[in-house]
Amino acid sequence: MLSIKNINTHYGPIQALHDVSVEVKQGEIVTLIGANGAGKTTLMMSICGDPQATSGTIQFDGEEITGQQTSSIMQKGLAIVPEGRRVFSGMTVEENLFMGAYHRDRREAEMTAEHVLALFPRLRERYSQRAGTMSGGEQQMLAIGRAMMSKPRMILLDEPSLGLAPIIIQQIFDIIEKLREEGVTIFLVEQNANQALRIADRGYVLENGRVIMEDTGAALLVNEDVRKAYLGG
Amino acid sequence: MQNSKFLSAIFAAGVTFVLACLMLGVKLNTEGTTLQVEGASTEQWTWIGLGIAVVFLSQLFSAQIDAFFSGLPKPQLAKVLPEASVMARLKPWLLAALIVGMLVWPFMVSRGSVDLATLTLIYIMLGLGLNIVVGLAGLLDLGFVAFYAVGAYTYALLSMYFGLSFWICLPLAAALAALFGFILGFPVLRLRGDYLAIVTLGFGEIIRILLNNWTAVTGGPNGISGIAKPTLFGLEFTRRAKEEGAMTFHEFFGISYSSSYKVIFLYLIAVVLVIFVIYLINRLMRMPIGRAWEALREDEIACRSLGLNRTAIKLSAFTIGASTAGFAGSFFAARQGFISPESFIFIESAIILAIVVLGGMGSQIGVILAAIVMTILPELAREFSEYRMLLFGLLMVIMMRWRPEGLVPMKRPHLELKQ
């Protein structure tokens, strides 16, 4: 569904990604793990076209999206939950959700909203509350819900567990699995390698801008090197 | 803590002393061809000493003073107004009453007040326009007066060279101002914050300098005079019709001529324009584009991640704001009958921005109230006109201390807990 082939990305003269290739098939959960500064978020952003990859190709559903504008890439059935949630704090949950459906018909969007609220009952309780006044976990749910409002076929999640309590992290991961059951393909970037690999079909390990390992989630979970480097021995 | 307080109080008193000495303590007198320095009188020195003492004490006890002021109850708008459900029922009636009041009012007061009200309405229009750009979309624009100038000169020039009437020029002026907003917007909108402010500031000056120097077309610093006044379906408000056979307003209705009809007519046009602008902006704010402006102000990255085209959204805010200013500008030219680049200096941009900030960013009612305050207060304080800028500064300081969110901050829907 998403196929990234040999992309290189630069920030000015600094090269952040070296020949990275990642393949995500329909219906999969694929996770990308790596330490701080390995280039995980850069890879995410490159998919979205900001910064654009300097070489290599990115295809989504067989369509070349390298070099396209971010706004048009994000309207192709791809959605991203950006790092650090980034909900509109001054707006209510309702307004936040409908911002996610900006390009869709209001009536259709309302149906999707109903679906999202069924998935996140917590958001229904807070429907007309300002997003900035909610807890981190609730904001993360809102960010995911907002991304779902465009009815994407694939969601990119950038560190959804960042700064959340363990019990909330568990809930978020449950939701990610639920999303997959609904047929949404998921590409997950995580520092929380243990949990991410547990739900992932396949995983990639990124180090210093290079993919150094690629295997099934279960295999990476027991891999000696991965255990040492990312799972705490 | 106490020590640093004392030091800062001494420092503030010192600054006051230096400033007061330079500005009030010494005077330069010309005697023949030489300048002579003269000290202030004893009485003035007493006042300066008192001022320094006040600054010193207020700095020393600033914590106590703050505590005292924060202890004062803030005006609670919510408590004055009836409950939301009652309010919703009353709202159309209140609005209707307000509009009727605004239409009837000019017939009962003096010409000067009506004129002042018209000026206020112009600033309301400008404030509402800038409110879209600064308050909603969060783009700091310091050259808003440029679009105002474009609107004014559009009408003045079209009327002078082609004899077009006010009513035809009004939409043209708005469209041309919008075009200028669009053209400026393209290169500028990749900038943010301070950089955007500087470029827009420059743009405002460019327009003014262009008008000042393009003497062949704009008349340069002499401006354009004798701009035609608006007519009511071709009826003029002058004593005698300009052209043979044309009717004037008082002839048509068979009433005696009065110069105040013209003033009232201009006021009524302004009322209609303001209502139109408020209605339009209200509609826009309820449309997705209005939400997008706010969303962009809050978080640009999130907006982009949702597939919103930030250039298009910013550009739309810029263009619509500019067209409102063009509207106000062409009306200003028609009311004044004379415009020159003098009317479009930076201080105008600053006043409009002050209106938006004072009113509470993004809030329409706030902007309207602030526009009223900002135009009527200087008129009321005419005796203090020398200290106008001082009062202006004082007002800003008080606002920042007492109500930094603006007079009527933008209302966001919120959940009320029922007890």
Side-chain angles (χ1 to χ4, degrees), chain A residues 6-20 37-39 42 46 51-56 207-210:
Chain A
N6 304 93
I7 64 161
N8 292 286
T9 301
H10 295 78
Y11 289 110
I14 300 158
Q15 185 162 11
L17 293 180
H18 301 263
D19 266 336
V20 172
T42 305
S46 296
Q52 286 186 345
T54 31
S55 63
E207 209 174 270
N208 294 326
R210 289 184 176 82

Side-chain angles (χ1 to χ4, degrees), chain A residues 50 69-71 74-75 80 82 86-92 95 99-100 102-103 125 128-130 146-147, chain B residues 288-289 291-292 294-296 298-311 313 412-415:
Chain A
D50 177 35
Q69 285 245 321
T70 304
S71 55
M74 302 320 293
Q75 289 175 44
I80 183 171
R86 293 195 172 270
V87 293
F88 302 114
S89 57
M91 295 188 178
T92 62
E95 288 169 326
M99 280 309 298
Y102 187 74
H103 296 283
E125 288 168 31
S128 38
Q129 188 177 327
R130 280 165 56 147
R146 186 178 65 182
Chain B
I289 185 78
R291 287 276 153 74
E294 282 177 61
L296 199 70
E298 285 207 12
D299 198 323
E300 206 171 305
I301 292 179
C303 270
R304 304 186 64 199
S305 81
L306 298 174
L308 272 64
N309 187 338
R310 83 181 143 168
T311 320
I313 293 168
R412 304 278 346 162
H414 59 279
L415 195 69

Side-chain angles (χ1 to χ4, degrees), chain B residues 39-55:
Chain B
S41 67
T42 344
E43 193 198 358
Q44 276 172 317
W45 279 116
T46 329
W47 279 109
I48 291 172
L50 268 176
I52 292 169
V54 167
V55 169

Side-chain angles (χ1 to χ4, degrees), chain B residues 8-236:
Chain B
S8 83
I10 287 193
F11 180 71
V15 170
T16 320
F17 176 70
V18 171
L19 286 178
C21 280
L22 287 176
M23 290 196 278
L24 301 168
V26 287
K27 273 190 204 128
L28 286 178
N29 284 334
T30 43
E31 259 177 46
T33 53
T34 54
L35 281 174
Q36 268 198 329
V37 183
E38 198 180 275
S41 67
T42 344
E43 193 198 358
Q44 276 172 317
W45 279 116
T46 329
W47 279 109
I48 291 172
L50 268 176
I52 292 169
V54 167
V55 169
F56 178 75
L57 290 176
S58 67
Q59 278 296 318
L60 195 59
F61 297 109
S62 64
Q64 284 87 334
I65 294 171
D66 274 355
F68 174 72
F69 275 109
S70 62
L72 288 180
K74 288 194 177 182
Q76 287 285 330
L77 212 62
K79 278 189 192 141
V80 184
L81 295 174
E83 250 180 86
S85 56
V86 185
M87 200 59 201
R89 204 147 32 80
L90 280 176
K91 205 175 168 191
W93 293 104
L94 282 174
L95 269 180
L98 186 71
I99 291 172
V100 169
M102 279 177 77
L103 294 180
V104 173
W105 172 80
F107 295 99
M108 298 186 288
V109 293
S110 74
R111 216 185 123 158
S113 332
V114 179
D115 214 32
L116 180 61
T118 315
L119 187 70
T120 309
L121 288 167
I122 292 179
Y123 277 104
I124 290 177
M125 252 186 276
L126 288 169
L128 289 171
L130 189 62
N131 191 28
I132 297 178
V133 184
V134 179
L136 292 175
L139 306 164
L140 185 53
D141 184 351
L142 292 182
F144 198 61
V145 79
F147 306 120
Y148 185 38
V150 168
Y153 270 87
T154 304
Y155 172 51
L157 294 174
L158 285 179
S159 140
M160 188 167 79
Y161 288 113
F162 302 104
L164 293 181
S165 84
F166 172 72
W167 297 108
I168 295 173
C169 289
L170 194 63
L172 283 180
L176 205 67
L179 181 71
F180 267 76
F182 191 75
I183 292 171
L184 173 70
F186 251 116
V188 153
L189 289 179
R190 39 181 85 233
L191 303 174
R192 242 180 278 186
D194 316 359
Y195 305 102
L196 177 70
I198 291 168
V199 175
T200 51
L201 179 70
F203 178 70
E205 286 300 288
I206 289 171
I207 292 281
R208 189 179 62 81
I209 292 168
L210 179 79
L211 294 173
N212 221 345
N213 290 296
W214 198 5
T215 326
V217 176
T218 64
N222 297 329
I224 300 171
S225 54
I227 302 166
K229 299 274 182 213
T231 56
L232 178 70
F233 301 110
L235 296 175
E236 288 178 37

